Amino acid sequence: MQLTDYEKAMLNGDHGAAKARAMDLLVRYGQALGAERLVETRNVAGAFNASTPSVKAIVEQGFDAVYSELNLDSDEVVEIPRVVVNTTQLITGIDNDNWRVQGVEEPLIRMQRASEQFLGERGINPCATCTPYQVGVVPVMGEHCAWMESSAVIYCNSVLGARTNVEGKESTGAAALTGRIPYWGYHLTENRFGTHRVHVDIDVDDMKDWGLLGYYIGEVVQEDRPVLTGKLHHPSMVKLKHFGAAAASSGGVELYHIPGVTPEARTVEEAFGPHQPVGTIRYGKAERRDAWEKLQSATDRKVDFIMLGCPHNAIEQVELVAHLLRGRRIHPDVALWMHTPRAIKQIADRAGYVEIIEAAGGVVMSDTCPAISRRVPEGVRVIATDSAKQAHYLPAIAKVQGWFGSVQECVEAAISGEWQGGL
Ligand code: F3S
């Protein structure tokens, strides 16, 4: 792999042991990928936080040891310096405020808070969300990034037009300390053109339909790059967030184009660049029903847990839930958890939305989600969610049955305790 003089100096330890370990990792990783060089990145979003029981033993050796082992893959414990680029902590395992509701033991929350302190002293911003782009971490078009988390990666590539592969704890840990990441995959223009055309024959407008469309497309194209045309109503950030999260769940989509909407595809021709589509997929009523049926893993209509906010909710989504719950009472046998970034929760708090949701019996969570924390209310058997991604993962993770529907259907199920949703 070709390295610049500065990169060689980091590798040789001229800039300290931590950067040497980071460069060593990036070179090994880049060679395994077949990358010929590294590229400068100014934007890293990773998982640095210590919030799970499995890391307790390492924490006893100090947080330098946690970073060394988990974020640099280093047997040697090195002192971690300040990061050199804008670096964000993604979602964590524990809600710093509602940890008791999650059933988290006190030593674990103390560990997470101490971990955040350590990271903050080194310049890692504790945004604690899978949607950093909703709280001010917004790379510009063409910017090289090192991001983890599939729903964040597909948003970064497709909607922002920035460039990232799905990175891991180790590569983001090394990128934060060096400002470098292997130059391969979606960093290269030639890998960013569309592969399949998806023509949508039915109106796709609300969030539920964008989720269903994403879920269908992900399953069909798997890791390829769909280009969407047809009867799509101009989507909002929230709808594209749900669409991408769904496509990255049923498949491994990391980049898509919607001509006239996403920035790298002003036209269909631009979306495919020098290539011809390998095929055209039609999406109509039958395909929509197919996606919807695959997302219903429940048969029992008596629900006991409503999960909202996957990916983490935007302020307009929090407002909608507050509006739907205002003056009402959630069924005593049902728990409703809604998830949003901690920064958005502050706004929701000031606006009175949190109070309305709590008065109805719901909980507004931040920092985590059930799929990451692997924690749901005790005794839960049947969940309902407005997220195709959560409907895909949570039943298997939490051993529960799941219903997927609109946010309105989920809120009505919270009130009545009965799932009445449908197509
Ligand atoms: Fe975010 Fe958790 Fe969903 S990480 S995308 S809320 S599964």
Side-chain angles (χ1 to χ4, degrees):
M1 178 182 278
Q2 291 173 2
L3 299 179
T4 64
D5 289 346
Y6 178 61
E7 289 162 358
K8 283 180 196 158
M10 282 197 281
L11 183 62
N12 291 337
D14 299 356
H15 296 270
K19 293 187 189 194
R21 301 309 309 167
M23 278 301 297
D24 177 64
L25 183 147
L26 289 172
V27 169
R28 282 186 286 133
Y29 174 47
Q31 284 170 339
L33 297 167
E36 289 175 6
R37 66 176 179 92
L38 303 175
V39 65
E40 281 188 44
T41 174
R42 297 177 304 199
N43 195 305
V44 176
F48 309 91
N49 207 317
S51 64
T52 56
S54 59
V55 299
K56 263 173 151 171
I58 319 174
V59 170
E60 282 166 17
Q61 300 166 50
F63 289 111
D64 282 324
V66 175
Y67 200 113
S68 299
E69 182 169 335
L70 301 182
N71 295 111
L72 293 178
D73 188 32
S74 167
D75 295 337
E76 175 199 356
V77 176
V78 290
E79 193 177 327
I80 304 303
R82 180 169 174 264
V83 297
V84 296
V85 293
N86 181 10
T87 300
T88 303
Q89 163 64 43
L90 292 167
I91 196 161
T92 79
I94 307 176
D95 180 331
N96 268 9
D97 298 324
N98 287 303
W99 53 277
R100 283 196 179 87
V101 180
Q102 280 185 284
V104 170
E105 311 73 32
E106 198 159 354
L108 267 189
I109 183 63
R110 282 206 301 269
M111 185 174 86
Q112 164 152 302
R113 287 181 181 149
S115 167
E116 282 193 346
Q117 185 78 29
F118 171 88
L119 296 169
E121 284 163 6
R122 282 149 189 82
I124 297 177
N125 303 312
C127 294
T129 175
C130 49
T131 58
Y133 51 86
Q134 294 193 127
V135 294
V137 181
V138 188
V140 297
M141 183 167 170
E143 189 166 355
H144 295 284
C145 301
W147 281 25
M148 287 174 66
E149 213 289 303
S150 63
S151 76
V153 164
I154 190 171
Y155 193 93
C156 181
N157 275 322
S158 313
V159 185
L160 303 179
R163 300 183 172 203
T164 184
N165 296 302
V166 179
E167 297 295 346
K169 281 177 91 129
E170 299 83 358
S171 57
T172 50
L177 297 181
T178 60
R180 299 291 189 279
I181 198 74
Y183 186 57
W184 75 289
Y186 287 128
H187 290 288
L188 281 73
T189 301
E190 62 258 37
N191 295 332
R192 297 180 64 86
F193 296 112
T195 55
H196 295 71
R197 184 168 184 156
V198 180
H199 192 78
V200 176
D201 294 317
I202 51 173
D203 280 317
V204 171
D205 191 5
D206 65 15
M207 202 182 87
K208 176 173 161 181
D209 264 315
W210 277 97
L212 289 171
L213 177 63
Y215 199 72
Y216 184 81
I217 289 177
E219 192 168 83
V220 175
V221 307
Q222 288 296 308
E223 295 182 353
D224 284 330
R225 296 175 295 280
V227 176
L228 281 65
T229 56
K231 296 176 77 174
L232 302 162
H233 293 241
H234 205 94
S236 62
M237 177 274 283
V238 166
K239 292 169 187 173
L240 292 181
K241 179 178 65 168
H242 274 267
F243 168 80
S249 304
S250 55
V253 181
E254 295 170 34
L255 171 61
Y256 62 86
H257 300 293
I258 307 177
V261 175
T262 57
E264 289 178 60
R266 283 167 296 182
T267 61
V268 173
E269 293 70 33
E270 198 171 56
F272 287 107
H275 308 297
Q276 289 296 316
V278 295
T280 297
I281 296 152
R282 307 294 295 221
Y283 180 82
K285 275 186 184 166
E287 290 74 19
R288 177 175 182 256
R289 173 159 289 282
D290 182 57
W292 183 83
E293 281 172 358
K294 287 200 170 95
L295 284 167
Q296 317 301 331
S297 61
T299 48
D300 189 344
R301 289 192 174 269
K302 192 172 171 316
V303 297
D304 41 27
F305 179 42
I306 310 297
M307 190 283 167
L308 305 175
C310 166
H312 274 180
N313 268 353
I315 187 66
E316 71 203 77
Q317 296 176 281
V318 182
E319 189 280 331
L320 176 59
V321 175
H323 169 71
L324 294 170
L325 284 173
R326 187 188 295 269
R328 304 173 84 188
R329 190 75 205 151
I330 290 168
H331 193 281
D333 298 337
V334 178
L336 181 147
W337 292 1
M338 197 202 59
H339 303 78
T340 190
R342 55 176 65 160
I344 290 179
K345 187 176 171 188
Q346 290 236 336
I347 301 169
D349 211 9
R350 293 285 175 103
Y353 308 149
V354 174
E355 196 180 338
I356 294 168
I357 294 166
E358 287 179 353
V363 182
V364 180
M365 294 235 176
S366 59
D367 313 341
T368 190
C369 79
I372 293 293
S373 67
R374 299 184 172 249
R375 293 173 189 271
V376 293
E378 217 177 309
V380 163
R381 292 176 47 254
V382 185
I383 69 154
T385 178
D386 62 342
S387 162
K389 176 170 180 175
Q390 202 71 203
H392 178 84
Y393 286 118
L394 199 56
I397 289 173
K399 310 274 181 293
V400 293
Q401 301 179 32
W403 295 105
F404 163 78
S406 68
V407 62
Q408 288 84 357
E409 287 169 337
C410 288
V411 169
E412 291 314 310
I415 301 290
S416 68
E418 294 270 326
W419 181 253
Q420 303 286 352
L423 256 197

PDB file of all heavy atoms in Angstrom, residues 91 129-131 149-152 245 307-313 339 368-373 387 389-390 393 397, ligand 1:
ATOM      1  N   ILE A  91     -25.076   5.356  18.434  1.00  0.00           N
ATOM      2  CA  ILE A  91     -26.002   4.882  19.467  1.00  0.00           C
ATOM      3  C   ILE A  91     -25.279   4.004  20.500  1.00  0.00           C
ATOM      4  O   ILE A  91     -24.281   3.353  20.186  1.00  0.00           O
ATOM      5  CB  ILE A  91     -27.168   4.132  18.794  1.00  0.00           C
ATOM      6  CG1 ILE A  91     -28.341   3.952  19.737  1.00  0.00           C
ATOM      7  CG2 ILE A  91     -26.702   2.826  18.178  1.00  0.00           C
ATOM      8  CD1 ILE A  91     -29.645   3.649  19.008  1.00  0.00           C
ATOM      9  N   THR A 129     -26.584   8.581  18.938  1.00  0.00           N
ATOM     10  CA  THR A 129     -27.728   8.291  18.072  1.00  0.00           C
ATOM     11  C   THR A 129     -27.251   7.613  16.791  1.00  0.00           C
ATOM     12  O   THR A 129     -26.120   7.841  16.346  1.00  0.00           O
ATOM     13  CB  THR A 129     -28.499   9.582  17.713  1.00  0.00           C
ATOM     14  OG1 THR A 129     -29.539   9.259  16.778  1.00  0.00           O
ATOM     15  CG2 THR A 129     -27.596  10.645  17.104  1.00  0.00           C
ATOM     16  N   CYS A 130     -28.151   6.826  16.199  1.00  0.00           N
ATOM     17  CA  CYS A 130     -27.868   6.223  14.896  1.00  0.00           C
ATOM     18  C   CYS A 130     -28.157   7.206  13.766  1.00  0.00           C
ATOM     19  O   CYS A 130     -27.971   6.878  12.596  1.00  0.00           O
ATOM     20  CB  CYS A 130     -28.716   4.966  14.723  1.00  0.00           C
ATOM     21  SG  CYS A 130     -30.463   5.252  15.103  1.00  0.00           S
ATOM     22  N   THR A 131     -28.621   8.420  14.122  1.00  0.00           N
ATOM     23  CA  THR A 131     -28.938   9.424  13.099  1.00  0.00           C
ATOM     24  C   THR A 131     -28.125  10.693  13.360  1.00  0.00           C
ATOM     25  O   THR A 131     -28.711  11.757  13.626  1.00  0.00           O
ATOM     26  CB  THR A 131     -30.445   9.763  13.117  1.00  0.00           C
ATOM     27  OG1 THR A 131     -30.780  10.250  14.436  1.00  0.00           O
ATOM     28  CG2 THR A 131     -31.296   8.557  12.787  1.00  0.00           C
ATOM     29  N   GLU A 149     -22.920   1.704  11.157  1.00  0.00           N
ATOM     30  CA  GLU A 149     -24.374   1.638  11.331  1.00  0.00           C
ATOM     31  C   GLU A 149     -25.065   1.768   9.969  1.00  0.00           C
ATOM     32  O   GLU A 149     -25.021   2.811   9.335  1.00  0.00           O
ATOM     33  CB  GLU A 149     -24.873   2.707  12.305  1.00  0.00           C
ATOM     34  CG  GLU A 149     -26.078   2.284  13.124  1.00  0.00           C
ATOM     35  CD  GLU A 149     -27.363   2.199  12.282  1.00  0.00           C
ATOM     36  OE1 GLU A 149     -27.734   3.205  11.671  1.00  0.00           O
ATOM     37  OE2 GLU A 149     -27.977   1.110  12.235  1.00  0.00           O
ATOM     38  N   SER A 150     -25.720   0.667   9.582  1.00  0.00           N
ATOM     39  CA  SER A 150     -26.197   0.556   8.206  1.00  0.00           C
ATOM     40  C   SER A 150     -27.178   1.653   7.802  1.00  0.00           C
ATOM     41  O   SER A 150     -27.123   2.152   6.679  1.00  0.00           O
ATOM     42  CB  SER A 150     -26.823  -0.821   7.988  1.00  0.00           C
ATOM     43  OG  SER A 150     -27.954  -0.992   8.818  1.00  0.00           O
ATOM     44  N   SER A 151     -28.079   2.060   8.700  1.00  0.00           N
ATOM     45  CA  SER A 151     -29.062   3.082   8.302  1.00  0.00           C
ATOM     46  C   SER A 151     -28.399   4.449   8.166  1.00  0.00           C
ATOM     47  O   SER A 151     -28.826   5.278   7.355  1.00  0.00           O
ATOM     48  CB  SER A 151     -30.222   3.160   9.307  1.00  0.00           C
ATOM     49  OG  SER A 151     -29.835   3.831  10.487  1.00  0.00           O
ATOM     50  N   ALA A 152     -27.345   4.684   8.938  1.00  0.00           N
ATOM     51  CA  ALA A 152     -26.608   5.953   8.830  1.00  0.00           C
ATOM     52  C   ALA A 152     -25.769   5.962   7.558  1.00  0.00           C
ATOM     53  O   ALA A 152     -25.689   6.971   6.853  1.00  0.00           O
ATOM     54  CB  ALA A 152     -25.727   6.149  10.063  1.00  0.00           C
ATOM     55  N   ALA A 245     -33.183   2.640   5.902  1.00  0.00           N
ATOM     56  CA  ALA A 245     -33.021   1.682   7.012  1.00  0.00           C
ATOM     57  C   ALA A 245     -33.633   0.336   6.633  1.00  0.00           C
ATOM     58  O   ALA A 245     -33.075  -0.728   6.930  1.00  0.00           O
ATOM     59  CB  ALA A 245     -33.675   2.237   8.278  1.00  0.00           C
ATOM     60  N   MET A 307     -42.940   0.012  19.955  1.00  0.00           N
ATOM     61  CA  MET A 307     -41.598   0.571  19.797  1.00  0.00           C
ATOM     62  C   MET A 307     -41.621   1.572  18.645  1.00  0.00           C
ATOM     63  O   MET A 307     -41.858   1.196  17.499  1.00  0.00           O
ATOM     64  CB  MET A 307     -40.595  -0.562  19.508  1.00  0.00           C
ATOM     65  CG  MET A 307     -39.150  -0.156  19.565  1.00  0.00           C
ATOM     66  SD  MET A 307     -38.647   0.746  18.092  1.00  0.00           S
ATOM     67  CE  MET A 307     -37.088   1.408  18.577  1.00  0.00           C
ATOM     68  N   LEU A 308     -41.383   2.838  18.953  1.00  0.00           N
ATOM     69  CA  LEU A 308     -41.325   3.884  17.925  1.00  0.00           C
ATOM     70  C   LEU A 308     -39.924   4.495  17.929  1.00  0.00           C
ATOM     71  O   LEU A 308     -39.250   4.505  18.954  1.00  0.00           O
ATOM     72  CB  LEU A 308     -42.360   4.979  18.213  1.00  0.00           C
ATOM     73  CG  LEU A 308     -43.818   4.528  18.376  1.00  0.00           C
ATOM     74  CD1 LEU A 308     -44.691   5.711  18.788  1.00  0.00           C
ATOM     75  CD2 LEU A 308     -44.341   3.896  17.096  1.00  0.00           C
ATOM     76  N   GLY A 309     -39.520   5.025  16.773  1.00  0.00           N
ATOM     77  CA  GLY A 309     -38.235   5.733  16.741  1.00  0.00           C
ATOM     78  C   GLY A 309     -37.073   4.883  16.316  1.00  0.00           C
ATOM     79  O   GLY A 309     -36.012   4.904  16.929  1.00  0.00           O
ATOM     80  N   CYS A 310     -37.244   4.133  15.227  1.00  0.00           N
ATOM     81  CA  CYS A 310     -36.136   3.387  14.620  1.00  0.00           C
ATOM     82  C   CYS A 310     -36.182   3.661  13.122  1.00  0.00           C
ATOM     83  O   CYS A 310     -37.156   3.285  12.489  1.00  0.00           O
ATOM     84  CB  CYS A 310     -36.254   1.898  14.869  1.00  0.00           C
ATOM     85  SG  CYS A 310     -35.151   0.910  13.803  1.00  0.00           S
ATOM     86  N   PRO A 311     -35.168   4.321  12.545  1.00  0.00           N
ATOM     87  CA  PRO A 311     -34.077   5.033  13.202  1.00  0.00           C
ATOM     88  C   PRO A 311     -34.626   6.132  14.131  1.00  0.00           C
ATOM     89  O   PRO A 311     -35.797   6.499  14.039  1.00  0.00           O
ATOM     90  CB  PRO A 311     -33.303   5.642  12.036  1.00  0.00           C
ATOM     91  CG  PRO A 311     -33.663   4.798  10.839  1.00  0.00           C
ATOM     92  CD  PRO A 311     -35.076   4.365  11.085  1.00  0.00           C
ATOM     93  N   HIS A 312     -33.773   6.645  14.982  1.00  0.00           N
ATOM     94  CA  HIS A 312     -34.194   7.637  15.974  1.00  0.00           C
ATOM     95  C   HIS A 312     -35.066   8.728  15.360  1.00  0.00           C
ATOM     96  O   HIS A 312     -34.794   9.215  14.253  1.00  0.00           O
ATOM     97  CB  HIS A 312     -32.954   8.272  16.609  1.00  0.00           C
ATOM     98  CG  HIS A 312     -32.418   7.492  17.771  1.00  0.00           C
ATOM     99  ND1 HIS A 312     -31.319   7.892  18.483  1.00  0.00           N
ATOM    100  CD2 HIS A 312     -32.844   6.341  18.350  1.00  0.00           C
ATOM    101  CE1 HIS A 312     -31.079   7.024  19.452  1.00  0.00           C
ATOM    102  NE2 HIS A 312     -31.984   6.068  19.382  1.00  0.00           N
ATOM    103  N   ASN A 313     -36.107   9.089  16.091  1.00  0.00           N
ATOM    104  CA  ASN A 313     -37.110  10.023  15.564  1.00  0.00           C
ATOM    105  C   ASN A 313     -36.593  11.451  15.402  1.00  0.00           C
ATOM    106  O   ASN A 313     -35.842  11.954  16.237  1.00  0.00           O
ATOM    107  CB  ASN A 313     -38.318  10.055  16.497  1.00  0.00           C
ATOM    108  CG  ASN A 313     -39.379   9.053  16.087  1.00  0.00           C
ATOM    109  OD1 ASN A 313     -39.280   8.415  15.036  1.00  0.00           O
ATOM    110  ND2 ASN A 313     -40.398   8.904  16.907  1.00  0.00           N
ATOM    111  N   HIS A 339     -38.052   6.497  20.703  1.00  0.00           N
ATOM    112  CA  HIS A 339     -36.610   6.757  20.741  1.00  0.00           C
ATOM    113  C   HIS A 339     -36.239   7.933  19.850  1.00  0.00           C
ATOM    114  O   HIS A 339     -36.684   8.011  18.704  1.00  0.00           O
ATOM    115  CB  HIS A 339     -35.849   5.494  20.327  1.00  0.00           C
ATOM    116  CG  HIS A 339     -36.182   4.320  21.195  1.00  0.00           C
ATOM    117  ND1 HIS A 339     -37.344   3.616  21.046  1.00  0.00           N
ATOM    118  CD2 HIS A 339     -35.526   3.775  22.247  1.00  0.00           C
ATOM    119  CE1 HIS A 339     -37.393   2.659  21.963  1.00  0.00           C
ATOM    120  NE2 HIS A 339     -36.301   2.743  22.705  1.00  0.00           N
ATOM    121  N   THR A 368     -30.248   5.070  22.904  1.00  0.00           N
ATOM    122  CA  THR A 368     -30.247   3.625  22.661  1.00  0.00           C
ATOM    123  C   THR A 368     -31.496   3.212  21.899  1.00  0.00           C
ATOM    124  O   THR A 368     -32.305   4.037  21.503  1.00  0.00           O
ATOM    125  CB  THR A 368     -30.147   2.877  24.010  1.00  0.00           C
ATOM    126  OG1 THR A 368     -29.903   1.497  23.757  1.00  0.00           O
ATOM    127  CG2 THR A 368     -31.402   3.050  24.845  1.00  0.00           C
ATOM    128  N   CYS A 369     -31.632   1.902  21.667  1.00  0.00           N
ATOM    129  CA  CYS A 369     -32.871   1.317  21.132  1.00  0.00           C
ATOM    130  C   CYS A 369     -32.876  -0.150  21.541  1.00  0.00           C
ATOM    131  O   CYS A 369     -31.829  -0.696  21.888  1.00  0.00           O
ATOM    132  CB  CYS A 369     -32.931   1.457  19.610  1.00  0.00           C
ATOM    133  SG  CYS A 369     -31.918   0.235  18.745  1.00  0.00           S
ATOM    134  N   PRO A 370     -34.031  -0.805  21.499  1.00  0.00           N
ATOM    135  CA  PRO A 370     -34.088  -2.202  21.959  1.00  0.00           C
ATOM    136  C   PRO A 370     -33.205  -3.161  21.160  1.00  0.00           C
ATOM    137  O   PRO A 370     -32.681  -4.125  21.717  1.00  0.00           O
ATOM    138  CB  PRO A 370     -35.566  -2.565  21.805  1.00  0.00           C
ATOM    139  CG  PRO A 370     -36.283  -1.264  21.886  1.00  0.00           C
ATOM    140  CD  PRO A 370     -35.370  -0.268  21.229  1.00  0.00           C
ATOM    141  N   ALA A 371     -33.028  -2.902  19.851  1.00  0.00           N
ATOM    142  CA  ALA A 371     -32.207  -3.824  19.061  1.00  0.00           C
ATOM    143  C   ALA A 371     -30.740  -3.744  19.473  1.00  0.00           C
ATOM    144  O   ALA A 371     -30.029  -4.746  19.452  1.00  0.00           O
ATOM    145  CB  ALA A 371     -32.351  -3.509  17.571  1.00  0.00           C
ATOM    146  N   ILE A 372     -30.280  -2.557  19.850  1.00  0.00           N
ATOM    147  CA  ILE A 372     -28.891  -2.393  20.274  1.00  0.00           C
ATOM    148  C   ILE A 372     -28.715  -2.816  21.731  1.00  0.00           C
ATOM    149  O   ILE A 372     -27.774  -3.533  22.085  1.00  0.00           O
ATOM    150  CB  ILE A 372     -28.450  -0.917  20.096  1.00  0.00           C
ATOM    151  CG1 ILE A 372     -28.409  -0.558  18.613  1.00  0.00           C
ATOM    152  CG2 ILE A 372     -27.093  -0.646  20.755  1.00  0.00           C
ATOM    153  CD1 ILE A 372     -27.350  -1.273  17.803  1.00  0.00           C
ATOM    154  N   SER A 373     -29.628  -2.380  22.591  1.00  0.00           N
ATOM    155  CA  SER A 373     -29.486  -2.689  24.024  1.00  0.00           C
ATOM    156  C   SER A 373     -29.883  -4.132  24.334  1.00  0.00           C
ATOM    157  O   SER A 373     -29.492  -4.680  25.347  1.00  0.00           O
ATOM    158  CB  SER A 373     -30.375  -1.766  24.848  1.00  0.00           C
ATOM    159  OG  SER A 373     -31.742  -2.042  24.584  1.00  0.00           O
ATOM    160  N   SER A 387     -41.457   0.849  12.285  1.00  0.00           N
ATOM    161  CA  SER A 387     -40.174   0.739  11.592  1.00  0.00           C
ATOM    162  C   SER A 387     -40.005  -0.635  10.965  1.00  0.00           C
ATOM    163  O   SER A 387     -40.028  -1.656  11.667  1.00  0.00           O
ATOM    164  CB  SER A 387     -39.042   0.967  12.605  1.00  0.00           C
ATOM    165  OG  SER A 387     -37.831   0.476  12.089  1.00  0.00           O
ATOM    166  N   LYS A 389     -37.284  -1.737   9.829  1.00  0.00           N
ATOM    167  CA  LYS A 389     -36.023  -2.270  10.346  1.00  0.00           C
ATOM    168  C   LYS A 389     -36.235  -2.962  11.696  1.00  0.00           C
ATOM    169  O   LYS A 389     -35.748  -4.062  11.926  1.00  0.00           O
ATOM    170  CB  LYS A 389     -34.993  -1.145  10.483  1.00  0.00           C
ATOM    171  CG  LYS A 389     -33.684  -1.618  11.109  1.00  0.00           C
ATOM    172  CD  LYS A 389     -32.582  -0.600  11.030  1.00  0.00           C
ATOM    173  CE  LYS A 389     -31.308  -1.152  11.673  1.00  0.00           C
ATOM    174  NZ  LYS A 389     -30.161  -0.264  11.527  1.00  0.00           N
ATOM    175  N   GLN A 390     -36.974  -2.322  12.567  1.00  0.00           N
ATOM    176  CA  GLN A 390     -37.195  -2.910  13.891  1.00  0.00           C
ATOM    177  C   GLN A 390     -38.076  -4.163  13.780  1.00  0.00           C
ATOM    178  O   GLN A 390     -37.850  -5.152  14.470  1.00  0.00           O
ATOM    179  CB  GLN A 390     -37.833  -1.874  14.815  1.00  0.00           C
ATOM    180  CG  GLN A 390     -37.645  -2.134  16.291  1.00  0.00           C
ATOM    181  CD  GLN A 390     -36.236  -1.915  16.818  1.00  0.00           C
ATOM    182  OE1 GLN A 390     -35.884  -2.476  17.853  1.00  0.00           O
ATOM    183  NE2 GLN A 390     -35.412  -1.139  16.150  1.00  0.00           N
ATOM    184  N   TYR A 393     -35.723  -6.975  12.764  1.00  0.00           N
ATOM    185  CA  TYR A 393     -34.727  -7.489  13.723  1.00  0.00           C
ATOM    186  C   TYR A 393     -35.282  -7.888  15.092  1.00  0.00           C
ATOM    187  O   TYR A 393     -34.848  -8.882  15.675  1.00  0.00           O
ATOM    188  CB  TYR A 393     -33.631  -6.437  13.957  1.00  0.00           C
ATOM    189  CG  TYR A 393     -32.673  -6.311  12.794  1.00  0.00           C
ATOM    190  CD1 TYR A 393     -32.550  -5.134  12.088  1.00  0.00           C
ATOM    191  CD2 TYR A 393     -31.883  -7.392  12.405  1.00  0.00           C
ATOM    192  CE1 TYR A 393     -31.666  -5.020  11.008  1.00  0.00           C
ATOM    193  CE2 TYR A 393     -31.001  -7.287  11.326  1.00  0.00           C
ATOM    194  CZ  TYR A 393     -30.899  -6.108  10.641  1.00  0.00           C
ATOM    195  OH  TYR A 393     -30.038  -6.003   9.578  1.00  0.00           O
ATOM    196  N   ILE A 397     -34.327 -10.943  17.920  1.00  0.00           N
ATOM    197  CA  ILE A 397     -33.450 -10.555  19.036  1.00  0.00           C
ATOM    198  C   ILE A 397     -34.142 -10.780  20.379  1.00  0.00           C
ATOM    199  O   ILE A 397     -33.544 -11.296  21.317  1.00  0.00           O
ATOM    200  CB  ILE A 397     -33.047  -9.056  18.901  1.00  0.00           C
ATOM    201  CG1 ILE A 397     -32.079  -8.888  17.734  1.00  0.00           C
ATOM    202  CG2 ILE A 397     -32.411  -8.532  20.183  1.00  0.00           C
ATOM    203  CD1 ILE A 397     -31.737  -7.444  17.407  1.00  0.00           C
TER     204      ILE A 397
HETATM  205 FE1  F3S B   1     -31.137   2.988  15.102  1.00  0.00          FE
HETATM  206 FE2  F3S B   1     -31.574   0.930  16.629  1.00  0.00          FE
HETATM  207 FE3  F3S B   1     -33.033   1.296  14.536  1.00  0.00          FE
HETATM  208  S1  F3S B   1     -29.611   1.651  15.958  1.00  0.00           S
HETATM  209  S2  F3S B   1     -31.702   2.308  13.063  1.00  0.00           S
HETATM  210  S3  F3S B   1     -32.956   2.660  16.331  1.00  0.00           S
HETATM  211  S4  F3S B   1     -32.241  -0.663  15.230  1.00  0.00           S
END
